[in-house]
Amino acid sequence: RPAFAFTLLLLGIATILYVRAPQQDVGMIAIETHRNLLSGKTALVRYDDANRLRQELSRAVGDRFAPIAFDLSMMKLFPVSGFVQKIGDREVLVTVYQGGGPAITCFTFLGTESDAPGSAERFYDADMKLNFYTFSQHGINGVLHKEGNVICILVSKMAPADILAL
């Protein structure tokens, strides 16, 4: 009986710890995904038409939301590929911008500002009335912001200030 009671107690503690475990850190997973894209570990299907890429990504999530589109042509960066990545129970739209400068990957998903990594620095832009969160890992930087109920994370080897300027 004592062994049985001890086993039940351990199972109860394990269940409580599992339920209270934090959700996956989307920001750090975004950085790892970008690293895999840069190294070639993740293969890309290329698109010539940015509008078609955007439409297909939107359709992939039942048109519940669309990837946030950036015009980075002044930096000679263009949306060349995209896919849906499952992070936990979320569908994340991933758009890859490549060209003449450092590659940028945009991650778009439904979420809240609490999806920013705990170690992120917060910046408030008074003109845009938006919070921006910056975070880094091993030379790759990310910036998260929220528009409505959609979160956008931009990830690149660019300096955080340069990503914020986008």
Side-chain angles (χ1 to χ4, degrees):
R1 287 186 182 175
F4 180 70
F6 182 72
T7 302
L8 285 178
L9 179 65
L10 282 178
L11 283 173
I13 291 171
T15 301
I16 290 170
L17 291 175
Y18 178 77
V19 169
R20 288 189 175 185
Q23 290 186 343
Q24 290 183 307
D25 189 333
V26 180
M28 291 301 122
I29 292 172
I31 284 178
E32 184 61 30
T33 299
H34 184 75
R35 184 178 290 112
N36 289 338
L37 289 165
L38 293 178
S39 69
K41 286 182 183 176
T42 302
L44 296 175
V45 175
R46 298 205 175 263
Y47 285 78
D48 292 330
D49 182 349
N51 288 328
R52 188 171 142 240
L53 170 61
R54 185 175 162 82
Q55 289 171 350
E56 288 191 23
L57 287 173
S58 296
R59 257 186 254 129
V61 292
D63 291 314
R64 289 178 291 127
F65 60 100
I68 294 181
F70 291 93
D71 180 2
L72 304 176
S73 58
M74 66 209 153
M75 298 174 58
K76 297 183 180 163
L77 291 171
F78 303 93
V80 298
S81 186
F83 54 92
V84 178
Q85 180 177 8
K86 195 87 159 149
I87 299 177
D89 60 349
R90 299 181 200 211
E91 293 175 308
V92 178
L93 301 179
V94 181
T95 307
V96 180
Y97 292 80
Q98 292 179 337
I104 297 174
T105 307
C106 176
F107 298 81
T108 308
F109 58 97
L110 298 176
T112 66
E113 290 184 23
S114 66
D115 288 307
S119 63
E121 267 190 76
R122 183 177 71 91
F123 297 92
Y124 179 72
D125 185 311
D127 293 333
M128 297 178 74
K129 297 182 177 149
L130 290 175
N131 288 317
F132 290 86
Y133 298 84
T134 63
F135 50 96
S136 301
Q137 184 183 62
H138 307 298
I140 298 179
N141 304 301
V143 174
L144 178 148
H145 77 280
K146 180 178 179 252
E147 293 182 21
N149 64 344
V150 176
I151 296 291
C152 172
I153 301 176
L154 291 176
V155 179
S156 179
K157 284 190 171 184
M158 294 171 61
D162 293 337
I163 299 172
L164 277 168
L166 297 174

